[in-house]
Amino acid sequence: TRNAAVFTDDGLKEYSTVVFLSTTGDILNHKQEAAFERYIQSGGGFVGIHAAADTEYDWGWYSKLVGGHFQSHPAGTPEAHFIVTDKNFIATRHLDSIWPRTDELYNYKKLNPDVNVVMTLDESTYEGGTNGDYHPIAWYHEYDGGRAFYTGGGHTEASYSEPLFLQHLLGGIQYAIGDNLKLDYNKATTQIPPDVDRFSKVTLTSGKFFEPTEMTVLPNSDVLIGQRRGEILWFNAQTNALKEVAKLDVYHQTLHTPNVNAEEGLMGLQKDPNYAQNHWVYVYYAPTGEEWVNRLSRFTFVDGEFDLASEQVILDVDSQREICCHTAGSIAFDKDGLLYLSTGDNSTPFNEKGAKYALRGYGPINDLPGKEQYDARRSSANTNDLRGKILRIKVNEDGGYTIPKGNLFPKGTPKTRPEIYTMGHRNPYRISVDQKNGYVYWGDVGPDARKDDPARGPRGYDEMNQAREAGNFGWPLFVGNNQPYVDFDFETGESGITFNPQKPINDSRNNTGLRELPPARPAYVYYPYAPTGDFPQVGTGGRNAMAGPTYYSDMYPNGGGLPQYYDGKVLIYEWIRGWIKAVTLFEDGTFNKMEPFAPEIQVNNLIDMEMGPDGRVYLLEYGSGWFSQNVDSGLGYVQYNAGNRPPKIEALTVDHNSGTLPLLVKAQVDVVDPENDAITYTWDFGNGETRETRVPKVDYTYSKEGNYRLSVTVSDDKGEVAKSGYMSIVAGNSRPVVTITLLDDSMDAFEAGRPIAYKVTAQDADGSPIDASNFFISVDYMESMDAVNQSLGHQEVEASVTGKALTLSMDCKTCHKEAGASIGPSYTQVGEKYVKVRRSKAYLQRKIITGGGGVWGEVMMPAHPNLTPNESRQIVEYIFSLAQTGNKKKSLPMSGTVIPKPAEEDEVLILKASYTDSGSGNAMPLTGKASIALSKTKEEALE
């Protein structure tokens, strides 16, 4: 089967073994993965053939089960010697010691050392092997309660006509089945994930935050929220009131001070672990004044009063304020009361204007005199500097601090700072500490390079990191899973050595610390802008990795706010891409897998996630624009519903949404109830009349002119309710029908300069006279004759509405607003810039899909490679609909001639026409549209 839906307990228990026959990629969702784990734990068998090793790269349990992952293979299908190393195993005992055969030969990574290898490859008998003298190609092992066999053979069709290979494969299947033909699900330990529709977001307050940075949830469920401009806000859980309780005088950027470091201000906020007794709150902020530092201080907050005069300065971190960017600034505590503070590399990631050799998004290691801001070796890789680090200290009663055992450098080590717990960070913007085992988690926001460059190093990656002990995590010499940069000379443009993660050397002239650094440690999750086979779930587009809490139900009253399924799982999230994931670890703390967490919850640039005293997951949303108060900012928490769930409305449709009186409308709603409860439908026709039905459809006649909003409320028999959106109904007016006629019947394509004669007409079913001034006729060019593109190609109004919805659902809202200022230009500015430029729609479509930068400033626009041409076109139509220029495009005449311009081979000419009637009394005007599309090579007409 190719149907992964069979991967349930009931589906799998029918089988004695499961064979993955050259599967590839991410083939099972998180529930199906759990079911497969339970199947193996119950005594099931597994056989992997060839590309089964090219499957589920981000699922550690499967990696161990299959025994290894594909890394590469030589071209073609060379002949090689398969060396039998175990003549007693059922799958190899029929073979000679040397088995010459032809196949596609994999090189492997992540080989499981616990498997029993029965066959290897002799790399001297072919070219392209990379595993060396010991190159396993077939193995077996008992694993997690079941049995597994893997063979690297089986790529070629001829393999399945080879008697020796078939016997080899049969032996592996027989081993996997073993003696136990009956599964025992009492032995399964993996739990089935909860249904995604059991999660919802409860909003406590919204639209009132101006650049929130970090929050802390107090023992009584009140919340303190820090804002970058210095405000500290107090959400009172009893009254639901939000109040400003303090305003620190901070150095920060506004839209009017663009040269100020873009991230400094109030950066971090956290309560003391013993807050109920001491009422201490820690703040990390950039004080104004001549001293360039970021400061960790402690204040008291009692009975709604934040005492600024109580400040105890704990620690200052030097900052070069003329430099953008990367401050980090997150504060966390562990179970022993140790304080952790993240700091950024305080380095400029952008290209220097006029520089002969620019950074280009690779490691910032330019140590030329006067270029200090382009050298993160002076900060992140400097053992004698607190920037680009996670610091760990024990704060004393008097506001001083001591150094705990286990930090990276013992106190007194020359050229080091003892406060350093981990180093080699770029911008560890949000951190958390597992409250049981003390593991530290953080997301590190990565650089912008779009592709690997042999002369410079790897493309950019964001990282999810874990520290089970003190260590060096590599930046700026390494990124991702320790991918090394090249020691590039910014004076000569010459490439030097590739940095060695086992022995990193910091020979920057700006380094004041140790020359030889501790070995670099890789991230456990890393991802670029583009799709990644290693972690396909993270998606594509802009990047901003964040780390949230680790959940344990037994730490909270009544088991907390989430099911026990999440015990020990780490919550991570993406500020730009808008997802939250739950990470499962092996017992030794290493990464196993990630899965969606509450994926149906929409979050608007989630900037902090904290556990409340009741075990609820609190969410702080920054909102969709930079440097502004955002209407979609908010504070809330995740609600889990373990009981009856409300019905889910999937669609509301009508057969007519306009027409003359009397207007008969047939409406239907598609509803799914998770518990299959009986449903009642209450229809609201928008005119004060309602009707209750037991079936999901209704007929209704509108007898008065007007514009109405039809909706339906559905209720199950246990009282749960869901309400639909509105369907607009125009009663008393019919939509005009527009027709475009080409006067030359033989016209089946267009050519530059060859006239196209046309005529446009409209009919109004209401009998209203046609007003020629209400026509709008135009010609346009598009990139291709994509079938879906055509179907909506003429509907600019509808496309702009759809494009707005698409835009607001994507990461674009992070940098752009419709009209207000943000870190990027407003959509209105973009529309006005390009509305006059021929082919600019096609240009913007490509720009949205491929990404880029340099047009509006230094901020890079991320790629969106998964967008379809139609989706990108709808976004562009929305942007263009906002443009307000003095040279408004004039309509072509109702009949006339179009002279095509020179166009690219795959471009399409579209003749479009719309007619808007005058409405009727209380019924709004309606627009009818039509278009004809012609390619350069064949007729492609749409009407």
Side-chain angles (χ1 to χ4, degrees):
T1 182
R2 293 177 181 268
N3 180 16
V6 75
F7 280 73
T8 64
D9 281 4
D10 290 339
L12 290 175
K13 65 176 52 173
E14 300 298 321
Y15 299 95
S16 297
T17 195
V18 172
V19 181
F20 278 24
L21 177 57
S22 282
T23 50
T24 58
D26 191 18
I27 61 174
L28 301 180
N29 65 30
H30 65 296
K31 279 199 167 187
Q32 293 158 357
E33 289 177 358
F36 190 42
E37 289 183 16
R38 289 169 57 81
Y39 167 78
I40 295 296
Q41 292 160 358
S42 302
F46 167 76
V47 172
I49 302 175
H50 193 61
D54 190 29
T55 301
E56 297 287 358
Y57 285 86
D58 61 345
W59 182 10
W61 180 92
Y62 177 82
S63 298
K64 293 185 178 183
L65 173 77
V66 71
H69 272 307
F70 166 80
Q71 179 159 308
S72 62
H73 65 75
T77 54
E79 181 178 300
H81 285 180
F82 287 60
I83 308 300
V84 176
T85 59
D86 186 346
K87 291 284 290 182
N88 296 317
F89 184 61
I90 189 174
T92 53
R93 63 191 179 196
H94 65 289
L95 298 171
D96 293 334
S97 297
I98 298 176
W99 182 22
R101 66 184 304 269
T102 298
D103 213 327
E104 185 178 69
L105 306 177
Y106 276 4
N107 299 307
Y108 296 96
K109 62 183 179 180
K110 296 184 179 179
L111 285 166
N112 184 347
D114 297 326
V115 301
N116 304 295
V117 175
V118 297
M119 196 155 53
T120 61
L121 286 177
D122 183 351
E123 291 191 357
S124 69
T125 61
Y126 70 101
E127 294 183 359
T130 62
N131 284 113
D133 293 337
Y134 185 67
H135 187 146
I137 196 66
W139 52 78
Y140 72 96
H141 63 136
E142 294 184 2
Y143 178 74
D144 202 16
R147 294 183 171 198
F149 169 78
Y150 172 81
T151 179
H155 169 78
T156 64
E157 185 176 349
S159 297
Y160 300 93
S161 299
E162 292 181 47
L164 292 178
F165 179 78
L166 291 176
Q167 184 63 37
H168 169 64
L169 187 55
L170 176 59
I173 293 172
Q174 290 172 327
Y175 165 77
I177 293 174
D179 298 328
N180 298 321
L181 299 181
K182 185 177 181 180
L183 301 173
D184 183 0
Y185 269 82
N186 291 320
K187 296 180 179 179
T189 56
T190 296
Q191 300 180 56
I192 297 296
D195 296 324
V196 296
D197 61 358
R198 292 192 179 277
F199 297 90
S200 59
K201 181 176 69 174
V202 176
T203 299
L204 298 172
T205 187
S206 62
K208 299 178 181 179
F209 296 113
F210 198 119
E211 291 191 84
T213 51
E214 194 164 47
M215 67 174 163
T216 186
V217 186
L218 303 180
N220 64 350
S221 295
D222 287 1
V223 186
L224 289 177
I225 302 102
Q227 298 193 142
R228 196 175 58 81
R229 301 183 309 165
E231 304 95 344
I232 297 176
L233 308 180
W234 169 42
F235 176 80
N236 187 320
Q238 296 298 315
T239 65
N240 290 332
L242 185 69
K243 176 185 177 182
E244 181 179 311
V245 293
K247 177 70 181 291
L248 278 72
D249 186 13
V250 299
Y251 167 90
H252 69 285
Q253 183 185 36
T254 70
L255 291 171
H256 307 294
T257 58
N259 294 324
V260 171
N261 187 311
E263 296 173 9
E264 292 193 340
L266 195 162
M267 296 160 282
L269 179 76
Q270 189 57 259
K271 68 179 181 297
D272 189 273
N274 198 29
Y275 172 85
Q277 283 70 45
N278 58 37
H279 300 285
W280 286 334
V281 175
Y282 297 80
V283 182
Y284 186 62
Y285 70 103
T288 58
E290 298 298 321
E291 191 176 9
W292 286 8
V293 296
N294 291 327
R295 176 165 293 160
L296 176 67
S297 286
R298 186 168 70 189
F299 301 84
T300 58
F301 177 67
V302 183
D303 297 329
E305 297 295 327
F306 197 98
D307 186 2
L308 291 176
S310 69
E311 180 176 14
Q312 294 174 295
V313 177
I314 298 168
L315 174 69
D316 282 348
V317 177
D318 290 338
S319 173
Q320 291 172 268
R321 287 186 172 174
E322 79 276 22
I323 296 174
C324 168
C325 302
H326 311 153
T327 60
S330 184
I331 308 170
F333 283 89
D334 68 13
K335 60 184 176 60
D336 298 321
L338 301 181
L339 182 149
Y340 296 75
L341 171 68
S342 69
T343 64
D345 70 2
N346 190 205
S347 298
T348 302
F350 308 122
N351 294 329
E352 181 187 9
K353 293 181 179 179
K356 185 176 181 181
Y357 301 105
L359 293 180
R360 294 173 44 216
Y362 297 99
I365 55 173
N366 184 351
D367 68 346
L368 294 177
K371 309 298 182 183
E372 290 83 3
Q373 63 178 310
Y374 302 101
D375 185 13
R377 288 181 294 181
R378 85 195 194 291
S379 55
S380 300
N382 187 344
T383 63
N384 201 27
D385 193 289
L386 296 183
R387 292 171 294 179
K389 310 294 193 298
I390 294 178
L391 312 178
R392 185 175 72 156
I393 58 176
K394 176 67 175 179
V395 184
N396 303 326
E397 282 283 326
D398 61 0
Y401 65 87
T402 56
I403 305 300
K405 292 182 179 179
N407 277 7
L408 190 55
F409 305 108
K411 191 172 182 179
T413 304
K415 295 187 176 182
T416 68
R417 291 293 298 264
E419 297 92 343
I420 298 171
Y421 183 65
T422 60
M423 63 179 291
H425 309 311
R426 185 175 185 265
N427 194 13
Y429 194 73
R430 195 61 67 235
I431 67 173
S432 70
V433 184
D434 186 311
Q435 293 302 302
K436 286 201 172 183
N437 58 35
Y439 297 164
V440 183
Y441 295 93
W442 67 97
D444 209 339
V445 185
D448 284 329
R450 300 305 177 99
K451 60 182 180 180
D452 298 339
D453 183 344
R456 302 294 293 275
R459 61 183 174 177
Y461 293 85
D462 267 32
E463 300 177 355
M464 298 291 183
N465 282 293
Q466 175 204 63
R468 299 194 290 277
E469 60 184 3
N472 173 24
F473 286 80
W475 180 259
L477 309 182
F478 315 96
V479 73
N481 59 333
N482 271 354
Q483 297 184 48
Y485 287 107
V486 176
D487 193 0
F488 185 79
D489 189 321
F490 284 84
E491 185 171 15
T492 66
E494 295 179 355
S495 297
I497 64 167
T498 298
F499 294 112
N500 179 2
Q502 297 306 310
K503 190 177 180 180
I505 301 297
N506 183 355
D507 57 4
S508 168
R509 69 188 75 192
N510 300 313
N511 180 30
T512 61
L514 300 176
R515 180 175 182 273
E516 183 173 337
L517 309 179
R521 300 187 180 186
Y524 71 85
V525 172
Y526 46 94
Y527 54 97
Y529 287 119
T532 169
D534 288 325
F535 303 98
Q537 292 187 50
V538 300
T540 61
R543 313 182 323 246
N544 202 307
M546 312 279 252
T550 305
Y551 183 76
Y552 295 100
S553 59
D554 62 3
M555 294 182 63
Y556 305 103
N558 304 314
L562 297 177
Q564 291 183 356
Y565 172 81
Y566 290 102
D567 280 358
K569 289 180 168 57
V570 185
L571 299 181
I572 61 175
Y573 53 108
E574 240 290 348
W575 189 74
I576 289 182
R577 299 185 185 185
W579 49 250
I580 308 173
K581 306 287 184 184
V583 172
T584 302
L585 305 173
F586 289 115
E587 288 187 5
D588 64 359
T590 56
F591 175 80
N592 180 358
K593 63 178 178 178
M594 72 172 74
E595 62 191 78
F597 175 80
E600 293 190 353
I601 290 179
Q602 178 182 350
V603 288
N604 302 303
N605 299 97
L606 182 61
I607 199 165
D608 196 14
M609 178 186 288
E610 297 282 343
M611 296 305 305
D614 51 7
R616 287 173 170 166
V617 179
Y618 279 73
L619 309 171
L620 179 64
E621 297 170 88
Y622 183 95
S624 57
W626 287 87
F627 311 132
S628 61
Q629 182 170 344
N630 294 309
V631 295
D632 55 353
S633 63
L635 172 69
Y637 60 83
V638 176
Q639 180 74 55
Y640 177 73
N641 178 10
N644 181 52
R645 288 163 288 179
K648 184 176 181 180
I649 297 175
E650 296 190 331
L652 173 63
T653 57
V654 295
D655 65 336
H656 296 95
N657 60 11
S658 65
T660 56
L661 297 177
L663 176 62
L664 173 63
V665 173
K666 297 178 181 290
Q668 179 171 327
V669 63
D670 296 330
V671 177
V672 174
D673 187 85
E675 284 77 33
N676 294 317
D677 296 327
I679 301 294
T680 300
Y681 307 86
T682 303
W683 301 87
D684 185 335
F685 303 107
N687 57 0
E689 293 189 32
T690 60
R691 185 183 302 172
E692 187 174 291
T693 66
R694 296 287 182 178
V695 295
K697 55 181 66 177
V698 70
D699 294 355
Y700 183 79
T701 300
Y702 290 90
S703 57
K704 295 183 179 180
E705 284 184 345
N707 312 311
Y708 305 101
R709 298 202 300 174
L710 183 150
S711 64
V712 62
T713 300
V714 297
S715 309
D716 67 16
D717 57 7
K718 297 179 179 66
E720 294 287 350
V721 175
K723 186 173 181 179
S724 73
Y726 293 103
M727 182 68 67
S728 178
I729 306 293
V730 179
N733 188 24
S734 299
R735 191 176 301 277
V737 177
V738 178
T739 303
I740 303 175
T741 303
L742 297 182
L743 301 184
D744 182 354
D745 292 338
S746 65
M747 179 71 67
D748 60 0
F750 78 92
E751 297 177 11
R754 178 188 175 191
I756 301 174
Y758 69 90
K759 181 179 181 181
V760 177
T761 58
Q763 292 182 324
D764 195 322
D766 304 325
S768 302
I770 301 300
D771 183 349
S773 65
N774 286 354
F775 281 95
F776 189 85
I777 302 156
S778 64
V779 66
D780 200 359
Y781 298 85
M782 294 182 64
E783 283 189 300
S784 69
M785 190 65 82
D786 180 271
V788 179
N789 235 358
Q790 290 179 55
S791 67
L792 290 174
H794 59 289
Q795 301 177 16
E796 289 191 32
V797 175
E798 287 86 351
S800 68
V801 173
T802 307
K804 182 174 183 178
L806 271 171
T807 304
L808 294 178
S809 71
M810 294 167 50
D811 58 19
C812 309
K813 61 181 180 289
T814 304
C815 298
H816 308 279
K817 284 190 168 186
E818 186 167 295
S822 186
I823 196 169
S826 69
Y827 295 125
T828 302
Q829 287 177 298
V830 175
E832 290 174 346
K833 177 181 177 71
Y834 291 106
V835 73
K836 301 176 184 180
V837 182
R838 179 173 168 266
R839 296 187 186 174
S840 59
K841 290 184 178 180
Y843 166 78
L844 286 180
Q845 280 186 257
R846 289 192 294 269
K847 196 78 166 178
I848 289 169
I849 291 174
T850 62
V855 178
W856 297 89
E858 295 282 7
V859 176
M860 296 290 291
M861 178 178 174
H864 302 89
N866 289 342
L867 279 180
T868 66
N870 188 48
E871 289 169 335
S872 64
R873 184 193 60 80
Q874 291 170 352
I875 292 171
V876 171
E877 293 289 5
Y878 158 59
I879 293 171
F880 272 50
S881 74
L882 301 174
Q884 302 293 326
T885 66
N887 300 319
K888 189 174 180 180
K889 188 176 181 180
K890 294 182 179 180
S891 174
L892 298 173
M894 293 175 58
S895 61
T897 299
V898 171
I899 307 297
K901 299 177 181 179
E904 302 293 336
E905 187 64 32
D906 57 349
E907 278 193 310
V908 180
L909 180 150
I910 303 179
L911 183 62
K912 299 177 287 186
S914 67
Y915 174 76
T916 304
D917 66 18
S918 301
S920 176
N922 292 324
M924 65 185 291
L926 294 171
T927 300
K929 304 179 184 68
S931 72
I932 286 181
L934 298 174
S935 70
K936 291 187 68 174
T937 56
K938 62 181 179 179
E939 180 180 12
E940 295 280 0
L942 171 71
E943 186 171 321

